[in-house]
Amino acid sequence: MRRLVRSSVFWPLVALVLLLAVNVAARPGFLGVRMQDGHLYGSMIDILRNTSPILLVAIGMTLVIATRGIDLSVGALVAIAGAVACTQIAASPTPGSASTVLIAVGTAVLVCLVLGAWNGFLVAVVGIQPIIATLILMTAGRGIAMLVTGGQITTVNSPLYKSIGAGYLLTLPVSAIIAGVVLGATALLTRRTALGTLVESVGINPEASRLAGVRARSIIWTVYVFSALCAAIAGILISSNVTAADANNNGLWIELDAILAVVIGGTSLMGGKFSLTGTLIGAFIIETLRITVISLGIAPEVTLVFKAVVVILVCLLQSPVVQRRFRARRRAVAQEHGEAVEVVA
């Protein structure tokens, strides 16, 4: 039991269970899942589908934070990916064809990869602080998306494109399957190869890693490109779900959700060890919190306040001062129990 409590995912799991319990108390049928129109239907399926974009962005953010970095541009990249894909499909004479959709999606991903490489160049090569380097694209990115869409909401009429974000496969949402595949592939690459250890070593001590022969610059560059890839896929899911590209609202504040999901999952903002399982749980907590606020009749805008409070609490718990005091308190309690055992003996 003590080992379970010390696990980094224990308290996030407890928080998720409590949120689900609140929803069940408000709506007894909240956990119910039924088959309807050939696919699974219910609140839990909605959470599964709506969590997918957040999870995708959070996966990339996990590796970036593990290298002691941050990527504030993911929301803008989400908007750019949706803008590029929808604009190409809308301009095509055959918006429903597979070739049109594939070319549009491929172009959107390629554009985001180039922008992610730009972020990595600024951080790894130029040496700009990550928060400043990605803030540049965060500020300019939505302007780029507005230029792509001409300042208008670009709608598309493509059943194939819509199926990416709103369709179902094997009774499950396609978006959830895509997010699960990305999560599984990332877990295999980082836990079954040396990549995960290299990422953690760069985050713990980049200079020592460099002296040990690790190409810290290449690792940092790679994680920013990967973060852009995840944001591009999330942008395609969001825009295809609503069959429109809204440069102002697509991916708005998703960088906050991603960072919050990562830190709730136990990955420290100071870099080093990371937990993809914790990130998965954190992403579910974010979406479940949103659903809970709505279920309790609270205005959805207030959700931002709850998220901000959680970020503050997590940052305080991860601060060196608080951690030192917790360790000192545990040592004191352990010494007291040791003395009590000696007296009884």
Side-chain angles (χ1 to χ4, degrees):
M1 185 63 184
R2 184 179 300 174
R3 190 181 302 112
L4 177 63
V5 173
R6 288 179 178 177
S7 173
S8 61
V9 300
F10 175 76
W11 292 112
L13 273 176
V14 171
L16 180 59
V17 170
L18 289 177
L19 285 174
L20 292 175
V22 170
N23 283 280
V24 170
R27 290 186 294 167
F30 179 79
L31 297 179
V33 176
R34 66 181 185 274
M35 186 70 71
Q36 180 174 322
D37 298 329
H39 61 80
L40 295 176
Y41 182 85
S43 298
M44 296 302 298
I45 301 301
D46 292 337
I47 291 177
L48 189 64
R49 183 180 63 251
N50 296 332
T51 301
S52 301
I54 299 174
L55 175 60
L56 283 167
V57 177
I59 291 170
M61 189 71 73
T62 300
L63 299 186
V64 170
I65 290 178
T67 60
R68 204 181 293 185
I70 200 76
D71 190 353
L72 299 180
S73 67
V74 288
L77 291 173
V78 166
I80 291 172
V84 172
C86 289
T87 301
Q88 280 199 305
I89 294 174
S92 173
T94 56
S97 67
S99 60
T100 299
V101 173
L102 288 175
I103 292 173
V105 170
T107 304
V109 171
L110 181 61
V111 169
C112 289
L113 288 177
V114 172
L115 295 175
W118 167 254
N119 283 337
F121 172 77
L122 293 179
V123 176
V125 179
V126 181
I128 299 177
Q129 289 289 335
I131 192 171
I132 302 300
T134 57
L135 184 63
I136 297 172
L137 188 54
M138 176 187 179
T139 305
R142 292 198 179 272
I144 296 173
M146 291 288 287
L147 288 174
V148 173
T149 60
Q152 305 294 324
I153 297 177
T154 303
T155 59
V156 296
N157 183 18
S158 175
L160 180 59
Y161 186 68
K162 183 178 181 179
S163 66
I164 299 175
Y168 290 84
L169 179 65
L170 301 176
T171 73
L172 293 175
V174 174
S175 57
I177 294 175
I178 293 174
V181 169
V182 174
L183 177 64
T186 306
L188 286 175
L189 285 174
T190 56
R191 295 310 182 194
R192 297 298 181 182
T193 69
L195 180 60
T197 303
L198 296 177
V199 169
E200 291 178 347
S201 66
V202 170
I204 294 172
N205 194 324
E207 184 61 23
S209 299
R210 185 185 65 82
L211 294 175
V214 177
R215 295 182 178 179
R217 180 179 296 180
S218 299
I219 295 295
I220 294 173
W221 207 332
T222 300
V223 296
Y224 280 95
V225 172
F226 179 71
S227 177
L229 172 63
C230 292
I233 300 173
I236 292 167
L237 293 182
I238 292 173
S239 61
S240 63
N241 186 41
V242 297
T243 62
D246 186 351
N248 284 323
N249 294 311
N250 283 4
L252 187 63
W253 306 122
I254 199 170
E255 58 272 5
L256 173 63
D257 291 340
I259 295 171
L260 184 54
V262 173
V263 296
I264 285 177
T267 300
S268 173
L269 290 172
M270 301 298 292
K273 291 186 177 182
F274 62 91
S275 172
L276 290 174
T277 303
T279 297
L280 173 64
I281 297 171
F284 276 115
I285 289 176
I286 298 300
E287 179 59 25
T288 308
L289 175 61
R290 187 185 69 83
I291 296 295
T292 304
V293 170
I294 296 174
S295 299
L296 296 178
I298 304 173
E301 294 80 8
V302 183
T303 307
L304 295 174
V305 177
F306 287 100
K307 291 178 182 178
V309 170
V310 172
V311 170
I312 293 172
L313 291 175
V314 171
C315 290
L316 287 175
L317 290 173
Q318 290 185 354
S319 68
V321 174
V322 174
Q323 289 185 357
R324 282 198 299 268
R325 291 186 177 181
F326 275 144
R327 286 194 293 268
R329 177 61 181 168
R330 284 199 297 266
R331 284 195 296 268
V333 171
Q335 290 175 356
E336 290 177 1
H337 285 297
E339 292 175 358
V341 171
E342 290 178 0
V343 170
V344 171

